C-alpha cells in the first residue's frame, strides 16, 4: 500500500495524462464534434459527449468501443468512418447510458458485443430509453442551436437518431453478441483481447487490450483524477474493482497507453492510482467502523490521501461502508 505522500505524488504527476498530439479533425477537411486523439498508428480515442471511446482501424475495417450519450451515436459513427475505414464491429464496455446511449447507430446493422449481464441490463432499460429519447434529443438540439457552434452535420445526425429511436425495438439497441469472460477479435490484421474479470464498477465491465500496440481501453474501470461512480444497483464491488485493475496492470509496461473511461489518457501509473484509491477508501472506512462510527460519520470523512481527487467522496465512502458492514 502506498503511503499518503507517495499516493498524492502519483496523483499530481499523472493527472494531466500522457502528452498527446493536437486534436484531429474527423477526416480530411471535416469539422468534428468530438475531440479525436491518435494514440498509436490506426488507434484513436474520442473524448467528450460521454465515456471515452476507442477506435481501432486496420485493412479497411474498424472496431469502436462504446457509443457515447443518447443522440450522439450517428455523429460518432460518421466521424469515426471519416478516418477512412468502415466500422464493422462495436463493443459496449458496460451498460451505463453514457457508453451505450448511441447504440442505435451500431446495433441495427453491426455485431455489437458486450458481457452477457450488460446485454441484459441494456435490453431491460430499452423501452424507457425509447420513451424518453425524443424529448431528450430535442433538448440537445435546442441547446446546440442556441449556442450557435454545432456543425450542421451534427444537428442532422441528431434528427436522424431521434427518428431511428422513435420506432426502435430493444433488438436495435441492445448488444447482439455476448461474452462471459474472454474473447479474441480480429480487426484486419490486428488482435483485440476482451476480458471480464468480475464485479467491479458494475457486474459487467469489459476492458480491451491491444497487445501489438501496447494499448488498453479500460471502460469505467478507470476514472482519472476524480471519484469514480460506484454503482450499487449495477453490482459494484470495490475489491472486485481492484482485481480488474490489477489484471490490467499486469498487462502493462512503462510504455503502455491507457485510455480511461473518464478523464485523461494515462499510463500504468494511472491504473496504479485507481487501485490504491480503493485501498485508501477501505482503510479509512474499516478504521472508522472499528471505532464505532455511523455511516453518516463515515461519509463525512475526508482522507488526506484523497485530497487532490476532484469531487466529493461522500457517496463512495458510504458504498464502501455498506460493503464493510454487510458481513
Amino acid at each position: 500500500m502506498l503511503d499518503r505522500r507517495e499516493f498524492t505524488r502519483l496523483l499530481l504527476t499523472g493527472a494531466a495524462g500522457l502528452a498527446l498530439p493536437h486534436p484531429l479533425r474527423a477526416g480530411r477537411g471535416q469539422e468534428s464534434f468530438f475531440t479525436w486523439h491518435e494514440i498509436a498508428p490506426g488507434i484513436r480515442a474520442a473524448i467528450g459527449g460521454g465515456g471515452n471511446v476507442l477506435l481501432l482501424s486496420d485493412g479497411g475495417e474498424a472496431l469502436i468501443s462504446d457509443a457515447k450519450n443518447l443522440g450522439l451515436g450517428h455523429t460518432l459513427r460518421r466521424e469515426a468512418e471519416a478516418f477512412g475505414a468502415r466500422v464493422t464491429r462495436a463493443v459496449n464496455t458496460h451498460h451505463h447510458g453514457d457508453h451505450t446511449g448511441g447504440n442505435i447507430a451500431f446495433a441495427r446493422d453491426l455485431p455489437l458485443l458486450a458481457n452477457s449481464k450488460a446485454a441484459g441490463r441494456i435490453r431491460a432499460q430499452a423501452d424507457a430509453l425509447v420513451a424518453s429519447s425524443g424529448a431528450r434529443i430535442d433538448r440537445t438540439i435546442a441547446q446546440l442551436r442556441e449556442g450557435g457552434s454545432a456543425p450542421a452535420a451534427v444537428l442532422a445526425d441528431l434528427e436522424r437518431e431521434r427518428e431511428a429511436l422513435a420506432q426502435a425495438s430493444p433488438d436495435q439497441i441492445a448488444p447482439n453478441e455476448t461474452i462471459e469472460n474472454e474473447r479474441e477479435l480480429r480487426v484486419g490484421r490486428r488482435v483485440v483481447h476482451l476480458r471480464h474479470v468480475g464485479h467491479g464498477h458494475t457486474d459487467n465491465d469489459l476492458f480491451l487490450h491491444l497487445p501489438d500496440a501496447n494499448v488498453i481501453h479500460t471502460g469505467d474501470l478507470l476514472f482519472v483524477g476524480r471519484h469514480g461512480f460506484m454503482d450499487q444497483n449495477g453490482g459494484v464491488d470495490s475489491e472486485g474493482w481492484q482485481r480488474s485493475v490489477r489484471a490490467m496492470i499486469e498487462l502493462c509496461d512503462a510504455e503502455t497507453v491507457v485510455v480511461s473511461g473518464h478523464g485523461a489518457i494515462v499510463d500504468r501509473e494511472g491504473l496504479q492510482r485507481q487501485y490504491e484509491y480503493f485501498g485508501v477508501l477501505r482503510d479509512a472506512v474499516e478504521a472508522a467502523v472499528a471505532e464505532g462510527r455511523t455511516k453518516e460519520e463515515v461519509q463525512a470523512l475526508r482522507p488526506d490521501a484523497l485530497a487532490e481527487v476532484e469531487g466529493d467522496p461522500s457517496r463512495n465512502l458510504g458504498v464502501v461502508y455498506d460493503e464493510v458492514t454487510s458481513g
Side-chain angles (χ1 to χ4, degrees), residues 8 23 59 73 80 82 92 98 109 142 147 157 172 226-227 229 232 267 290:
T8 302
N92 288 150
D98 57 329
D109 66 330
D157 291 336
Q172 295 175 313
R226 66 192 73 182
H227 297 282
F229 175 54
Q232 284 181 295
D267 57 13

Side-chain angles (χ1 to χ4, degrees), residues 39 54 207-210 213-219 247-252 256-260 271:
I39 56 178
L54 186 79
F207 67 84
L208 287 73
H209 180 217
L210 286 59
N214 202 10
V215 171
I216 291 175
H217 178 36
T218 69
M248 289 186 282
I249 291 171
E250 290 172 355
L251 298 171
C252 292
T256 304
V257 177
V258 180
V259 179
S260 64
L271 286 168

Side-chain angles (χ1 to χ4, degrees), residues 241-309:
W241 197 328
Q242 283 187 304
R243 284 192 290 273
S244 293
V245 173
R246 175 55 57 190
M248 289 186 282
I249 291 171
E250 290 172 355
L251 298 171
C252 292
D253 59 28
E255 304 302 320
T256 304
V257 177
V258 180
V259 179
S260 64
H262 293 274
I265 297 169
V266 292
D267 57 13
R268 178 177 58 192
E269 287 193 348
L271 286 168
Q272 183 64 36
R273 288 190 297 278
Q274 184 73 88
Y275 183 89
E276 295 295 334
Y277 172 88
F278 291 106
V280 171
L281 280 186
R282 202 157 44 246
D283 285 352
V285 171
E286 288 175 351
V289 169
E291 294 169 0
R293 298 197 190 188
T294 66
K295 182 174 181 178
E296 290 71 23
E297 290 172 325
V298 167
Q299 289 181 298
L301 296 173
R302 295 297 179 266
D304 288 347
L306 303 182
E308 302 297 331
V309 181

Side-chain angles (χ1 to χ4, degrees), residues 30-156:
Q30 295 190 33
E31 188 176 7
S32 63
F33 181 79
F34 303 106
T35 300
W36 291 89
H37 293 288
E38 185 169 27
I39 56 178
I43 302 173
R44 295 175 171 88
I47 312 299
N52 296 339
V53 161
L54 186 79
L55 176 68
L56 168 64
S57 304
D58 189 69
E61 302 177 6
L63 175 147
I64 198 160
S65 182
D66 286 329
K68 298 291 187 182
N69 280 314
L70 177 72
L72 298 179
H74 283 78
T75 298
L76 179 65
R77 183 165 178 177
R78 176 176 54 78
E79 292 190 1
E81 293 185 338
F83 289 110
R86 182 173 60 89
V87 175
T88 54
R89 179 177 288 275
V91 174
N92 288 150
T93 59
H94 62 293
H95 72 280
H96 286 157
D98 57 329
H99 296 257
T100 65
N103 273 3
I104 188 69
F106 302 96
R108 291 183 299 170
D109 66 330
L110 296 177
L112 173 59
L113 189 146
N115 176 262
S116 59
K117 291 186 177 68
R121 290 183 179 277
I122 295 166
R123 181 174 291 276
Q125 62 198 25
D127 287 341
L129 178 74
V130 169
S132 66
S133 62
R136 291 168 63 186
I137 292 175
D138 282 346
R139 285 196 297 272
T140 301
I141 291 171
Q143 290 167 358
L144 291 174
R145 283 180 172 155
E146 183 179 349
S149 60
V154 175
L155 296 173

Side-chain angles (χ1 to χ4, degrees), residues 285 289 293 318-327:
V285 171
V289 169
R293 298 197 190 188
V319 174
V320 175
Y321 175 92
D322 289 343
E323 290 181 350
V324 168
T325 59
S326 65

